[in-house]
Amino acid sequence: MKFLEKYDFNSEDIEEFINITPKKMMDKIKDNQELIEANLSFLKGLGIKTFKEIFFDFPAIFFMDNSNFQEKFNKYVKESLIERLNENYKVVEYL
Amino acid sequence: MKIDIVKRVAGNFKQRDKDHVAEFLPVYDLINEESVNVLDKYKVTLTRNSQVDVLTQDAKTLEQTLSLASKMNFLDAYNENPRRLNILVADVIKRMSKCDAIGIPYKTDKGYANFLFSEKLFKEMTSSLTSEQKKIITPPSLDESKPNEEQVLDAIVTKFDFPQDVVIKLKNKLEELKEQDLSLKEKLMQTLAIVNPSDMEFLEKTINSTMEEMNIKEEKGLVA
């Protein structure tokens, strides 16, 4: 999970993530690291401040194919999307 | 992908959650069907796709967690937020004990506090305690006269409140293993396998967590 450091996760964040994530999910993340990173980069690049919280609580969506992942967010007006997710990141589950 | 498992798990979700199942299919693919049975047994209900990852856990681990929660009357915590099942139950119990020791409430009419299920939040909560309170919840210094493995075993036995006959069996087993060239963790794994022979992952996590709490490092073989 050291790759998460590239996305501003500190060691405490990473340890917390490992503690809350089932082993099979962790293994899948490791097996799909490139995809996970592509999706994390995209989300961070959008300017969404809560991208770490989104990854913590909704790691499953990061297994989406990168183009579908981008489409999930790009269908909204960027400014209002950012505002909405920064205010309440949990709505990401229903975008 | 087993369509039946998706229907079984998400069948009673609200429509807006059903509409998003496709995004979470990679996780549905990892589900242990036995784990679904365990949640049904304890009437823990999933309501969202984002909770489905708890079903990727080993069924025995879920059974242990829910069985303990049921005996200790905090099963409700897992219906409040089923993803809490991903947290090692030994750590949850340890935090509850610390809160009880210093009179910090962790259950209100709004439910169970999130800090019970997060080391990060628990540390934040305890950072505002008085020094006297911190002293109470800090693990005692190691007893230099007692081998580390015995101290770790004592701590685990206390945490899970094993009956006395089981405690005796565990101590006898550890005694048998004392002279063998095994690491501290190996001895504890073999000892605790008496009470839980099938879920080695759960045993390992419990041992690691207890050793970390007591600041005991792994050692290999016999001490020279």
Side-chain angles (χ1 to χ4, degrees), chain A residues 1 14-27 29 55-57 59 63, chain B residues 53 56-57 83 86-87 201 205:
Chain A
M1 293 294 119
I14 294 173
E15 199 183 323
E16 178 88 348
F17 182 74
I18 291 170
N19 286 339
I20 66 171
T21 307
K23 189 178 180 307
K24 274 189 183 177
M25 288 289 289
M26 292 286 296
D27 289 344
I29 289 168
F55 186 71
F56 258 66
D57 282 7
F63 296 128
Chain B
D53 66 353
T56 67
Q57 285 189 66
R83 287 198 87 222
N86 290 337
I87 314 303
E201 193 187 326
K205 276 188 173 178

Side-chain angles (χ1 to χ4, degrees), chain B:
Chain B
M1 166 66 55
K2 295 172 189 170
I3 303 298
D4 289 347
I5 198 86
V6 176
K7 280 186 182 169
R8 187 178 168 191
V9 172
N12 291 324
F13 285 3
K14 288 184 182 166
Q15 192 55 50
R16 69 170 184 173
D17 294 282
K18 285 182 183 176
D19 290 343
H20 287 268
V21 163
E23 291 170 20
F24 292 82
L25 284 178
V27 183
Y28 278 90
D29 216 16
L30 300 175
I31 287 174
N32 289 319
E33 195 154 359
E34 269 306 305
S35 298
V36 183
N37 296 338
V38 172
L39 258 61
D40 283 349
K41 177 180 167 186
Y42 288 93
K43 299 182 175 35
V44 173
T45 308
L46 303 187
T47 54
R48 300 179 184 186
N49 294 300
S50 57
Q51 296 166 349
V52 170
D53 66 353
V54 307
L55 296 171
T56 67
Q57 285 189 66
D58 183 75
K60 287 189 172 68
T61 303
L62 283 174
E63 171 68 46
Q64 274 159 350
T65 300
L66 289 166
S67 170
L68 266 172
S70 175
K71 283 177 193 158
M72 297 177 73
N73 286 321
F74 64 91
L75 204 51
D76 285 350
Y78 296 114
N79 262 319
E80 284 168 20
N81 180 355
R83 287 198 87 222
R84 288 169 169 174
L85 285 164
N86 290 337
I87 314 303
L88 193 61
V89 71
D91 289 344
V92 176
I93 293 169
K94 172 187 79 180
R95 293 178 197 128
M96 284 180 175
S97 302
K98 288 183 178 181
C99 289
D100 287 339
I102 52 176
I104 298 282
Y106 50 78
K107 189 183 176 194
T108 65
D109 52 3
K110 287 182 185 169
Y112 286 83
N114 282 329
F115 61 65
L116 290 178
F117 303 93
S118 161
E119 187 58 28
K120 190 175 170 182
L121 291 178
F122 192 76
K123 274 185 189 165
E124 281 173 18
M125 185 277 289
T126 55
S127 65
S128 59
L129 296 178
T130 65
S131 52
E132 198 49 49
Q133 286 175 316
K134 284 182 187 174
K135 209 170 152 185
I136 293 169
I137 64 170
T138 303
S141 311
L142 294 180
D143 179 353
E144 299 291 321
S145 66
K146 219 173 181 185
N148 285 346
E149 59 266 25
E150 277 187 39
Q151 297 194 64
V152 176
L153 183 63
D154 284 346
I156 292 173
V157 152
T158 306
K159 239 182 246 192
F160 288 97
D161 198 22
F162 288 128
Q164 199 49 36
D165 59 326
V166 173
V167 173
I168 292 169
K169 278 184 191 163
L170 288 169
K171 292 197 173 186
N172 287 342
K173 180 67 182 176
L174 188 61
E175 189 62 35
E176 271 173 38
L177 296 170
K178 235 177 208 175
E179 299 305 318
Q180 291 190 28
D181 187 21
L182 298 168
S183 70
L184 185 149
K185 213 156 99 172
E186 284 164 349
K187 287 179 193 169
L188 287 167
M189 290 283 285
Q190 287 192 32
T191 302
L192 288 164
I194 293 174
V195 292
N196 190 353
S198 49
D199 192 351
M200 301 313 273
E201 193 187 326
F202 178 79
L203 279 187
E204 194 175 355
K205 276 188 173 178
T206 303
I207 293 167
N208 285 345
S209 153
T210 309
M211 282 174 65
E212 199 185 302
E213 185 189 325
M214 297 174 78
N215 206 24
I216 291 176
K217 301 273 183 273
E218 175 67 290
E219 36 178 89
K220 179 70 187 164
L222 294 171
V223 175

